[in-house]
Amino acid sequence: MCGIVGLFLKDPKLEPQLGAMLTDMLITMTDRGPDSAGIAIYGRPEKGKAKLTVQSANPDADFATLAEDLGKAIAAKVTGQVKDTHMVLELPEDRLEAARHAMRDLRPKAKVMSAGEGIEIYKEVGLPKDVAARFEVSRMSGTHGIGHTRMATESAVTTMGAHPFSTGSDQCLVHNGSLSNHNSVRRVLRQAGMTFETENDTEVAAAFISHKLQEGAKLGEAMEATLTDLDGFFTFVVGTKNGFGVVRDPIACKPAVMAETDQYVAFGSEYRAMVNLPGIDSARVWEPEPATVYFWER
């Protein structure tokens, strides 16, 4: 049992409140998973720039000269902002892949949480209220985001085992459920060139979506493929640079509720996650249908 939330803003006036609204939604889901928590925030991209968000168990040592060291390694200007155990590095968009490779040599123990033009992922072991406070998520603005609070069933309680999982540029995924064929799917994806940091079944789902998108599928098509290629019980919420999507398995035993107004589209494992959103009393509220893909993009 885990808790998932998502929020896609249609009204730009709400963007300064995105972090605060997502934090409130996620905290409401705490009792669905107290082991670890994470949030992905999508900000408006700056032309020609990208972000690399990294995590370290020893941030004082790893982050002290990281921006300078990375800048020298990729021959570009790199700036960085430290947020507790995470650091957001900003760099030229065309040097993003080079930066990811350089990180392996510069800081082999640091982990890349996300990479892309707009995405930042923050996740750690602990309750949602504590994780969100550590990274000051409530102060963040953005266009959309997703969050997750976890009750571990398939793997250890660690930072890397927390959701969201990001396996592609500006892509991430959160999951409530359990996949029965993740080991066989992981083997196929590794043969196709995908890499994995954990044994978590959710990382396999994220990589499956990323691989489909890399092959040229649209978001809706990639999500539809989960219904035929992934076995088990699942509710997935997927984030991309331009939007987010939701899909449930054909049996749909994991709870899910959605709400839409002229200002936003929201997702929660339970309705109570959305009760403090503006205009929720007049929103169109529904339960996503089994084996049906829903997505919104700009």
Side-chain angles (χ1 to χ4, degrees), residues 56-260:
S56 172
N58 190 10
D60 289 342
D62 281 342
F63 296 163
T65 61
L66 180 55
E68 179 182 354
D69 295 345
L70 186 59
K72 290 178 181 178
I74 66 171
K77 182 180 179 181
V78 178
T79 60
Q81 180 183 10
V82 176
K83 291 188 175 183
D84 199 80
T85 57
H86 289 43
M87 186 176 189
V88 181
L89 298 153
E90 293 194 356
L91 59 149
E93 191 275 333
D94 62 358
R95 303 301 292 155
L96 183 58
E97 195 57 33
R100 292 198 67 153
H101 286 291
M103 280 294 301
R104 298 169 189 167
D105 295 324
L106 292 172
R107 302 293 189 275
K109 293 184 179 180
K111 301 296 184 181
V112 173
M113 297 288 100
S114 60
E117 296 177 44
I119 190 174
E120 296 176 27
I121 288 180
Y122 301 92
K123 59 183 186 179
E124 279 290 1
V125 172
L127 298 174
K129 67 179 182 63
D130 297 327
V131 173
R134 289 174 69 174
F135 303 115
E136 299 182 324
V137 175
S138 62
R139 297 186 180 184
M140 297 184 67
S141 63
T143 56
H144 58 291
I146 62 178
H148 185 274
T149 183
R150 182 180 183 225
M151 179 177 289
T153 57
E154 294 290 334
S155 56
V157 178
T158 64
T159 300
M160 292 306 294
H163 306 204
F165 280 92
S166 181
T167 53
S169 181
D170 280 310
Q171 298 165 19
C172 66
L173 179 145
V174 294
H175 170 210
N176 182 20
S178 179
L179 301 181
S180 58
N181 68 333
H182 62 96
N183 286 323
S184 60
V185 175
R186 185 185 291 107
R187 285 194 293 271
V188 172
L189 291 173
R190 277 185 172 142
Q191 292 171 359
M194 301 299 293
T195 59
F196 295 87
E197 296 282 351
T198 74
E199 295 301 313
N200 193 293
D201 59 338
T202 303
E203 187 178 17
V204 173
F208 178 85
I209 295 284
S210 295
H211 181 59
K212 289 294 183 181
L213 293 174
Q214 290 170 10
E215 288 186 320
K218 295 186 181 300
L219 176 59
E221 295 169 337
M223 295 179 70
E224 285 176 1
T226 67
L227 297 169
T228 55
D229 292 12
L230 300 182
D231 294 331
F233 303 110
F234 58 83
T235 295
F236 296 139
V237 179
V238 179
T240 70
K241 181 173 68 174
N242 297 319
F244 88 139
V246 174
V247 64
R248 304 170 78 195
D249 69 83
I251 297 177
C253 66
K254 299 300 180 180
V257 180
M258 301 201 71
E260 183 171 14

Side-chain angles (χ1 to χ4, degrees), residues 7-22 41-44 51 118 137 139-145 298:
L7 190 58
F8 175 86
L9 299 180
K10 302 178 184 179
D11 185 354
K13 293 178 181 177
L14 289 178
E15 291 180 14
Q17 302 175 48
L18 176 68
M21 289 190 289
L22 269 176
I41 296 284
Y42 287 85
R44 288 196 174 273
K51 300 175 183 179
V137 175
R139 297 186 180 184
M140 297 184 67
S141 63
T143 56
H144 58 291
R298 288 182 171 79

Side-chain angles (χ1 to χ4, degrees), residues 29-48:
M29 293 289 95
T30 297
D31 60 352
R32 293 192 62 84
D35 297 332
S36 57
I39 289 182
I41 296 284
Y42 287 85
R44 288 196 174 273
E46 293 186 48
K47 187 175 182 179

